[in-house]
Coordinates of all heavy atoms in Angstrom, one line a residue:
M1 N -128.8 36.9 204.3 CA -129.1 35.5 204.5 C -130.2 35.4 205.6 O -130.1 36.2 206.6 CB -127.9 34.7 204.9 CG -128.2 33.3 205.2 SD -126.8 32.3 205.9 CE -127.1 32.5 207.6
K2 N -131.1 34.5 205.4 CA -132.0 34.2 206.5 C -132.1 32.7 206.7 O -132.0 31.9 205.8 CB -133.4 34.8 206.1 CG -134.0 34.3 204.8 CD -135.3 35.0 204.5 CE -135.6 34.9 203.1 NZ -136.8 35.7 202.7
A3 N -132.2 32.4 208.0 CA -132.3 31.0 208.4 C -133.7 30.7 208.8 O -134.2 31.5 209.6 CB -131.3 30.6 209.5
V4 N -134.3 29.7 208.3 CA -135.7 29.4 208.6 C -135.8 27.9 208.9 O -135.1 27.1 208.3 CB -136.7 29.8 207.5 CG1 -136.8 31.3 207.4 CG2 -136.4 29.1 206.2
G5 N -136.7 27.5 209.8 CA -136.9 26.1 210.0 C -138.0 25.6 209.0 O -138.7 26.4 208.4
I6 N -138.0 24.3 208.9 CA -138.9 23.7 207.9 C -140.4 24.1 208.2 O -141.2 24.2 207.3 CB -138.7 22.2 207.8 CG1 -139.4 21.6 206.6 CG2 -139.2 21.5 209.1 CD1 -138.7 21.9 205.3
A7 N -140.7 24.3 209.4 CA -142.1 24.6 209.8 C -142.5 26.0 209.3 O -143.6 26.3 209.1 CB -142.3 24.5 211.3
D8 N -141.4 26.9 209.0 CA -141.7 28.2 208.6 C -141.6 28.4 207.1 O -141.8 29.6 206.6 CB -140.7 29.2 209.3 CG -140.8 29.1 210.8 OD1 -141.9 29.1 211.3 OD2 -139.7 29.1 211.5
V9 N -141.4 27.4 206.4 CA -141.3 27.5 204.9 C -142.7 27.6 204.3 O -143.6 26.8 204.7 CB -140.5 26.3 204.3 CG1 -140.6 26.4 202.8 CG2 -139.1 26.3 204.8
R10 N -142.9 28.6 203.5 CA -144.2 28.7 202.8 C -143.9 29.1 201.3 O -142.8 29.6 201.0 CB -145.0 29.7 203.5 CG -144.4 31.0 203.8 CD -145.2 32.0 204.6 NE -144.8 33.3 204.4 CZ -143.7 33.9 204.9 NH1 -143.0 33.2 205.8 NH2 -143.3 35.1 204.6
P11 N -144.8 29.0 200.4 CA -144.6 29.2 199.0 C -144.1 30.6 198.7 O -143.3 30.7 197.7 CB -146.0 29.0 198.4 CG -146.7 28.0 199.3 CD -146.2 28.4 200.7
D12 N -144.4 31.6 199.4 CA -144.0 33.0 199.1 C -142.7 33.4 199.7 O -142.3 34.5 199.6 CB -145.1 34.0 199.4 CG -145.4 34.0 200.9 OD1 -145.1 33.0 201.6 OD2 -145.9 35.1 201.4
L13 N -142.1 32.5 200.4 CA -140.8 32.8 201.1 C -139.6 33.1 200.2 O -138.8 33.9 200.4 CB -140.5 31.7 202.2 CG -139.4 32.0 203.2 CD1 -139.7 33.3 204.0 CD2 -139.2 30.8 204.1
F14 N -139.5 32.3 199.1 CA -138.4 32.4 198.2 C -139.0 32.6 196.8 O -140.0 32.1 196.4 CB -137.6 31.1 198.2 CG -137.0 30.8 199.6 CD1 -137.5 29.7 200.3 CD2 -136.0 31.5 200.1 CE1 -137.0 29.4 201.5 CE2 -135.5 31.2 201.4 CZ -136.0 30.2 202.1
R15 N -138.2 33.3 196.0 CA -138.5 33.7 194.6 C -137.9 32.6 193.7 O -136.7 32.6 193.4 CB -138.0 35.1 194.3 CG -138.4 35.6 193.0 CD -137.7 37.0 192.7 NE -136.2 36.8 192.7 CZ -135.4 37.5 193.5 NH1 -135.9 38.4 194.4 NH2 -134.1 37.3 193.5
S16 N -138.7 31.6 193.3 CA -138.2 30.6 192.3 C -136.8 30.1 192.7 O -135.9 30.2 192.0 CB -138.2 31.1 190.9 OG -139.5 31.5 190.5
P17 N -136.7 29.5 193.9 CA -135.4 29.2 194.4 C -134.6 28.1 193.6 O -135.1 27.2 193.0 CB -135.7 28.6 195.8 CG -137.1 28.0 195.7 CD -137.8 29.0 194.8
V18 N -133.3 28.3 193.6 CA -132.3 27.3 193.2 C -131.7 26.8 194.5 O -131.4 27.6 195.4 CB -131.2 27.9 192.2 CG1 -131.9 28.3 190.9 CG2 -130.5 29.1 192.8
V19 N -131.6 25.5 194.7 CA -131.3 24.9 196.0 C -130.1 24.0 195.9 O -130.0 23.1 195.0 CB -132.6 24.1 196.5 CG1 -132.3 23.6 197.8 CG2 -133.8 25.0 196.5
A20 N -129.3 24.0 196.9 CA -128.2 23.1 197.2 C -128.6 22.3 198.5 O -129.0 23.0 199.5 CB -126.9 23.7 197.3
I21 N -128.5 21.0 198.4 CA -128.9 20.2 199.6 C -127.7 19.4 200.1 O -127.0 18.8 199.3 CB -130.0 19.2 199.2 CG1 -131.3 19.9 198.7 CG2 -130.4 18.3 200.4 CD1 -132.3 19.0 198.1
G22 N -127.4 19.5 201.4 CA -126.3 18.8 202.0 C -126.1 19.1 203.4 O -126.8 19.9 204.0
I23 N -125.2 18.4 204.0 CA -124.9 18.6 205.4 C -124.0 19.8 205.6 O -124.1 20.6 206.5 CB -124.2 17.3 206.0 CG1 -125.2 16.2 206.1 CG2 -123.7 17.6 207.4 CD1 -126.4 16.4 207.0
F24 N -123.0 19.9 204.7 CA -122.0 21.0 204.7 C -121.3 21.1 206.1 O -121.2 22.2 206.7 CB -122.7 22.4 204.4 CG -123.3 22.3 203.0 CD1 -124.7 22.3 202.9 CD2 -122.5 22.4 201.9 CE1 -125.3 22.2 201.6 CE2 -123.1 22.3 200.6 CZ -124.5 22.2 200.5
D25 N -121.0 20.0 206.6 CA -120.3 19.8 207.9 C -118.8 19.8 207.6 O -118.2 18.8 207.3 CB -120.7 18.5 208.6 CG -120.1 18.4 210.0 OD1 -119.7 19.4 210.5 OD2 -120.0 17.3 210.5
G26 N -118.2 21.0 207.8 CA -116.8 21.2 207.4 C -116.7 21.8 206.1 O -117.0 21.2 205.1
F27 N -116.5 23.1 206.0 CA -116.6 23.8 204.8 C -115.3 23.8 204.0 O -114.4 24.5 204.4 CB -117.0 25.3 205.1 CG -117.9 25.9 204.1 CD1 -119.2 25.5 203.9 CD2 -117.4 27.0 203.4 CE1 -120.0 26.1 202.9 CE2 -118.2 27.6 202.5 CZ -119.5 27.2 202.2
H28 N -115.2 23.0 203.0 CA -114.0 22.8 202.2 C -114.1 23.5 200.8 O -115.2 24.1 200.5 CB -113.6 21.4 202.1 CG -114.7 20.5 201.5 ND1 -115.0 20.5 200.2 CD2 -115.5 19.6 202.1 CE1 -116.0 19.7 199.9 NE2 -116.3 19.1 201.1
L29 N -113.1 23.4 200.0 CA -113.1 24.1 198.7 C -114.2 23.6 197.8 O -114.7 24.4 197.0 CB -111.7 23.9 198.0 CG -110.6 24.6 198.7 CD1 -109.2 24.3 198.0 CD2 -110.8 26.1 198.8
G30 N -114.6 22.4 197.9 CA -115.7 21.9 197.1 C -117.0 22.5 197.4 O -117.8 22.9 196.5
H31 N -117.2 22.7 198.7 CA -118.4 23.4 199.2 C -118.4 24.9 198.7 O -119.4 25.4 198.3 CB -118.5 23.4 200.7 CG -118.9 22.0 201.2 ND1 -118.4 21.6 202.4 CD2 -119.7 21.0 200.7 CE1 -118.9 20.4 202.7 NE2 -119.6 20.0 201.6
V32 N -117.2 25.5 198.8 CA -117.1 26.9 198.4 C -117.4 27.0 196.9 O -118.2 27.9 196.5 CB -115.7 27.5 198.7 CG1 -115.5 28.8 198.1 CG2 -115.4 27.5 200.2
A33 N -116.9 26.1 196.1 CA -117.2 26.2 194.7 C -118.6 25.9 194.4 O -119.2 26.6 193.6 CB -116.3 25.1 193.9
L34 N -119.2 25.0 195.0 CA -120.6 24.6 194.8 C -121.5 25.8 195.2 O -122.4 26.2 194.4 CB -121.0 23.4 195.6 CG -122.5 23.0 195.6 CD1 -122.9 22.4 194.3 CD2 -122.9 22.1 196.7
L35 N -121.3 26.4 196.4 CA -122.2 27.5 196.8 C -121.9 28.8 196.0 O -122.8 29.6 195.8 CB -122.0 27.7 198.3 CG -122.5 26.5 199.1 CD1 -122.4 26.7 200.6 CD2 -123.9 26.0 198.8
S36 N -120.7 29.0 195.6 CA -120.4 30.1 194.7 C -121.2 30.0 193.4 O -121.7 31.0 192.9 CB -118.9 30.3 194.4 OG -118.2 30.6 195.6
R37 N -121.2 28.8 192.9 CA -121.9 28.6 191.6 C -123.4 28.8 191.9 O -124.1 29.3 191.0 CB -121.6 27.2 191.1 CG -122.3 26.9 189.8 CD -121.9 27.8 188.6 NE -122.7 27.6 187.5 CZ -123.4 28.6 186.9 NH1 -123.3 29.9 187.3 NH2 -124.2 28.4 185.9
L38 N -123.9 28.3 193.0 CA -125.3 28.4 193.3 C -125.7 29.9 193.4 O -126.7 30.3 192.8 CB -125.6 27.8 194.7 CG -127.0 27.9 195.2 CD1 -128.0 26.9 194.4 CD2 -127.1 27.6 196.7
L39 N -124.9 30.7 194.1 CA -125.2 32.1 194.2 C -125.1 32.8 192.8 O -126.0 33.6 192.5 CB -124.2 32.8 195.1 CG -124.3 32.5 196.6 CD1 -123.1 33.0 197.4 CD2 -125.6 33.1 197.1
A40 N -124.2 32.5 192.0 CA -124.1 33.0 190.6 C -125.3 32.6 189.8 O -125.8 33.5 189.0 CB -122.8 32.6 190.0
W41 N -125.7 31.4 189.9 CA -126.8 30.9 189.1 C -128.1 31.6 189.5 O -128.9 32.0 188.7 CB -126.9 29.4 189.2 CG -127.9 28.7 188.3 CD1 -128.2 29.1 187.0 CD2 -128.6 27.5 188.5 NE1 -129.1 28.2 186.5 CE2 -129.3 27.2 187.4 CE3 -128.6 26.6 189.6 CZ2 -130.1 26.1 187.3 CZ3 -129.4 25.5 189.5 CH2 -130.2 25.2 188.4
G42 N -128.3 31.7 190.8 CA -129.4 32.4 191.3 C -129.5 33.9 190.8 O -130.5 34.4 190.4
K43 N -128.3 34.6 190.9 CA -128.3 35.9 190.4 C -128.5 36.0 188.9 O -129.3 36.9 188.5 CB -126.9 36.5 190.8 CG -126.8 38.0 190.5 CD -125.5 38.5 190.9 CE -125.4 40.0 190.7 NZ -124.1 40.6 191.1
E44 N -127.9 35.1 188.2 CA -128.1 35.1 186.7 C -129.6 34.9 186.3 O -130.1 35.5 185.4 CB -127.2 34.0 186.2 CG -127.4 33.6 184.7 CD -126.6 32.4 184.3 OE1 -125.5 32.2 184.8 OE2 -127.1 31.6 183.6
K45 N -130.3 34.0 187.1 CA -131.7 33.7 186.8 C -132.7 34.5 187.5 O -133.9 34.3 187.4 CB -131.9 32.2 187.1 CG -131.1 31.2 186.3 CD -131.4 31.2 184.9 CE -130.6 30.2 184.1 NZ -130.8 30.2 182.7
D46 N -132.2 35.5 188.4 CA -133.0 36.3 189.2 C -133.9 35.4 190.1 O -135.1 35.6 190.2 CB -133.9 37.3 188.4 CG -134.5 38.4 189.3 OD1 -133.9 38.7 190.3 OD2 -135.6 38.8 189.0
R47 N -133.2 34.5 190.8 CA -133.9 33.6 191.7 C -133.1 33.6 193.1 O -131.9 34.0 193.1 CB -133.8 32.2 191.2 CG -134.6 32.0 189.9 CD -134.6 30.6 189.4 NE -135.4 30.5 188.3 CZ -135.9 29.3 187.9 NH1 -135.5 28.2 188.5 NH2 -136.7 29.2 186.8
D48 N -133.8 33.2 194.1 CA -133.1 33.1 195.4 C -132.3 31.9 195.5 O -132.7 30.8 195.1 CB -134.2 33.1 196.5 CG -134.9 34.4 196.7 OD1 -134.3 35.5 196.4 OD2 -136.1 34.4 197.2
A49 N -131.1 32.0 196.0 CA -130.2 30.9 196.2 C -130.5 30.4 197.7 O -130.5 31.2 198.6 CB -128.7 31.3 196.1
V50 N -130.8 29.1 197.8 CA -131.2 28.5 199.0 C -130.3 27.3 199.3 O -130.0 26.5 198.5 CB -132.7 28.1 199.0 CG1 -133.1 27.3 200.3 CG2 -133.6 29.3 198.7
V51 N -129.8 27.2 200.6 CA -129.1 26.0 201.0 C -130.0 25.3 202.0 O -130.4 25.8 203.0 CB -127.8 26.4 201.7 CG1 -127.1 25.2 202.3 CG2 -126.9 27.1 200.7
L52 N -130.2 24.0 201.7 CA -131.0 23.2 202.6 C -130.1 22.2 203.4 O -129.3 21.5 202.7 CB -132.0 22.3 201.8 CG -132.8 21.3 202.6 CD1 -133.7 22.0 203.7 CD2 -133.7 20.5 201.7
T53 N -130.0 22.4 204.7 CA -129.1 21.5 205.5 C -129.9 20.9 206.6 O -131.1 21.2 206.7 CB -127.9 22.3 206.1 OG1 -127.0 21.4 206.6 CG2 -128.3 23.3 207.1
F54 N -129.3 20.0 207.3 CA -130.0 19.2 208.3 C -129.4 19.4 209.7 O -128.2 19.5 209.8 CB -130.0 17.7 207.9 CG -130.5 17.5 206.5 CD1 -129.6 17.4 205.5 CD2 -131.8 17.3 206.2 CE1 -130.0 17.2 204.2 CE2 -132.3 17.1 205.0 CZ -131.4 17.1 203.9
R55 N -130.2 19.4 210.7 CA -129.7 19.5 212.1 C -128.9 18.2 212.4 O -127.8 18.3 212.9 CB -130.8 19.7 213.1 CG -130.3 19.8 214.5 CD -131.4 20.1 215.5 NE -132.0 21.4 215.2 CZ -131.5 22.6 215.6 NH1 -130.4 22.6 216.3 NH2 -132.1 23.7 215.4
R56 N -129.4 17.1 212.0 CA -128.7 15.8 212.3 C -128.4 15.2 210.9 O -129.1 15.3 209.9 CB -129.7 14.9 213.0 CG -129.9 15.4 214.5 CD -131.0 14.6 215.2 NE -130.8 13.2 215.2 CZ -131.7 12.3 215.3 NH1 -133.0 12.7 215.5 NH2 -131.5 11.0 215.3
H57 N -127.3 14.5 210.9 CA -126.8 13.8 209.7 C -127.8 12.7 209.3 O -128.3 12.0 210.2 CB -125.4 13.2 209.9 CG -124.8 12.8 208.6 ND1 -125.2 11.7 207.9 CD2 -123.7 13.3 207.9 CE1 -124.4 11.6 206.8 NE2 -123.5 12.6 206.8
P58 N -128.2 12.5 208.1 CA -129.2 11.5 207.7 C -128.7 10.1 208.2 O -129.6 9.3 208.6 CB -129.2 11.5 206.2 CG -128.9 13.0 205.9 CD -127.9 13.4 206.9
K59 N -127.4 9.8 208.2 CA -127.0 8.5 208.7 C -127.3 8.3 210.1 O -127.7 7.2 210.6 CB -125.5 8.3 208.5 CG -125.0 8.1 207.1 CD -123.5 7.9 207.0 CE -123.0 7.8 205.6 NZ -121.6 7.6 205.5
E60 N -127.2 9.4 210.9 CA -127.6 9.3 212.3 C -129.1 9.0 212.5 O -129.5 8.2 213.4 CB -127.2 10.6 213.0 CG -127.5 10.6 214.5 CD -127.1 12.0 215.1 OE1 -126.3 12.7 214.6 OE2 -127.7 12.3 216.2
V61 N -129.9 9.6 211.7 CA -131.3 9.4 211.8 C -131.7 8.0 211.4 O -132.5 7.4 212.0 CB -132.1 10.4 210.8 CG1 -133.6 10.1 210.8 CG2 -131.8 11.9 211.3
L62 N -131.0 7.5 210.3 CA -131.4 6.1 209.8 C -130.7 5.0 210.6 O -131.3 3.9 210.8 CB -131.0 6.0 208.4 CG -131.8 7.0 207.4 CD1 -131.2 6.9 206.0 CD2 -133.3 6.7 207.5
A63 N -129.5 5.2 211.1 CA -128.7 4.1 211.6 C -128.3 4.2 213.1 O -127.7 3.3 213.6 CB -127.5 3.8 210.8
G64 N -128.6 5.4 213.7 CA -128.1 5.6 215.0 C -127.0 6.6 215.2 O -126.4 7.0 214.2
P65 N -126.7 7.0 216.4 CA -125.7 8.1 216.6 C -124.3 7.7 216.5 O -123.5 7.9 217.4 CB -126.1 8.5 218.1 CG -126.6 7.3 218.7 CD -127.3 6.5 217.6
A66 N -123.9 7.1 215.4 CA -122.4 6.8 215.2 C -121.7 7.9 214.5 O -120.5 7.8 214.3 CB -122.3 5.5 214.4
H67 N -122.4 8.9 214.0 CA -121.7 10.0 213.3 C -121.4 11.2 214.2 O -122.2 11.7 214.9 CB -122.7 10.5 212.1 CG -122.1 11.4 211.2 ND1 -122.1 12.8 211.4 CD2 -121.3 11.3 210.1 CE1 -121.5 13.4 210.5 NE2 -121.0 12.5 209.6
S68 N -120.1 11.6 214.1 CA -119.7 12.8 214.8 C -119.6 14.0 213.9 O -119.1 13.8 212.7 CB -118.5 12.6 215.6 OG -117.4 12.3 214.7
S69 N -120.0 15.2 214.3 CA -120.0 16.3 213.4 C -118.7 17.1 213.6 O -118.1 17.2 214.7 CB -121.1 17.3 213.7 OG -122.3 16.6 213.4
I70 N -118.2 17.7 212.5 CA -117.0 18.6 212.5 C -117.5 20.0 213.1 O -116.8 20.6 213.9 CB -116.4 18.7 211.1 CG1 -115.9 17.4 210.6 CG2 -115.3 19.8 211.1 CD1 -115.6 17.4 209.2
M71 N -118.6 20.5 212.6 CA -119.1 21.7 213.0 C -120.6 21.5 213.6 O -121.3 20.7 213.1 CB -119.2 22.8 211.9 CG -117.9 23.1 211.3 SD -117.8 24.5 210.2 CE -119.1 24.2 209.1
S72 N -120.9 22.3 214.5 CA -122.3 22.3 215.1 C -123.3 22.8 214.0 O -122.9 23.6 213.1 CB -122.4 23.1 216.4 OG -122.3 24.4 216.1
F73 N -124.5 22.5 214.2 CA -125.6 23.0 213.3 C -125.6 24.5 213.4 O -125.7 25.2 212.3 CB -126.9 22.4 213.7 CG -128.1 22.9 212.9 CD1 -128.3 22.5 211.6 CD2 -129.0 23.8 213.5 CE1 -129.3 23.0 210.9 CE2 -130.1 24.3 212.8 CZ -130.2 23.9 211.5
E74 N -125.5 25.1 214.6 CA -125.5 26.5 214.7 C -124.3 27.2 214.0 O -124.5 28.2 213.4 CB -125.5 26.9 216.2 CG -126.8 26.5 216.9 CD -127.0 25.0 217.2 OE1 -126.0 24.3 217.2 OE2 -128.1 24.6 217.4
H75 N -123.2 26.6 214.1 CA -122.0 27.1 213.4 C -122.2 27.1 211.9 O -121.8 28.0 211.2 CB -120.7 26.3 213.8 CG -119.4 26.9 213.4 ND1 -118.5 27.2 214.2 CD2 -119.0 27.2 212.1 CE1 -117.4 27.7 213.6 NE2 -117.7 27.7 212.3
R76 N -122.8 26.0 211.4 CA -123.0 25.9 209.9 C -123.9 27.0 209.4 O -123.8 27.5 208.3 CB -123.6 24.5 209.6 CG -122.6 23.4 209.6 CD -123.1 22.1 209.1 NE -123.8 21.5 210.3 CZ -124.9 20.8 210.2 NH1 -125.5 20.6 209.1 NH2 -125.4 20.2 211.3
L77 N -124.9 27.4 210.3 CA -125.8 28.5 209.9 C -125.1 29.8 209.7 O -125.6 30.7 209.0 CB -127.0 28.6 210.9 CG -127.9 27.4 211.0 CD1 -129.0 27.7 212.0 CD2 -128.5 27.1 209.6
L78 N -123.9 30.0 210.3 CA -123.2 31.2 210.2 C -122.5 31.4 208.9 O -122.2 32.5 208.5 CB -122.2 31.3 211.3 CG -122.7 31.4 212.8 CD1 -121.6 31.3 213.8 CD2 -123.6 32.6 213.0
W79 N -122.2 30.3 208.2 CA -121.6 30.4 206.9 C -122.5 30.9 205.9 O -122.3 31.3 204.9 CB -121.0 29.0 206.5 CG -119.8 28.6 207.4 CD1 -119.9 28.0 208.6 CD2 -118.5 28.9 207.1 NE1 -118.6 27.8 209.0 CE2 -117.7 28.4 208.2 CE3 -117.8 29.5 206.1 CZ2 -116.3 28.5 208.2 CZ3 -116.4 29.6 206.1 CH2 -115.7 29.1 207.2

């Protein structure tokens, strides 16, 4: 696994990626199922599986800091 910031993304970084987008704040069985399927699909299609997450919750960006996180951004990157 590699973690990259948006500024470091370039066209040759991933091989035809399949992507899951979400906050993934609190890793539950639904997330496990989704990411397991993403990994299987990437392997089946010979593509890189990529998870796109956000440092701040979109609600916080749009409406203000009323959202509290279950896990820190750094903790989420470890999963």
Side-chain angles (χ1 to χ4, degrees):
M1 180 186 92
K2 55 184 157 188
V4 296
I6 194 71
D8 299 319
V9 174
R10 50 183 205 282
D12 64 334
L13 189 59
F14 302 109
R15 185 184 60 237
S16 300
V18 292
V19 182
I21 302 171
I23 293 295
F24 303 105
D25 183 20
F27 212 66
H28 55 72
L29 292 176
H31 289 145
V32 172
L34 175 74
L35 297 181
S36 293
R37 181 63 190 125
L38 178 75
L39 289 169
W41 192 29
K43 186 175 182 178
E44 173 187 319
K45 301 291 184 185
D46 194 31
R47 297 178 174 201
D48 289 332
V50 175
V51 174
L52 174 63
T53 191
F54 307 93
R55 182 173 296 278
R56 294 171 52 204
H57 196 287
K59 286 182 184 177
E60 181 181 338
V61 173
L62 297 172
H67 186 270
S68 61
S69 295
I70 297 168
M71 295 190 314
S72 70
F73 177 73
E74 292 74 20
H75 191 121
R76 285 185 275 143
L77 294 180
L78 298 175
W79 288 88

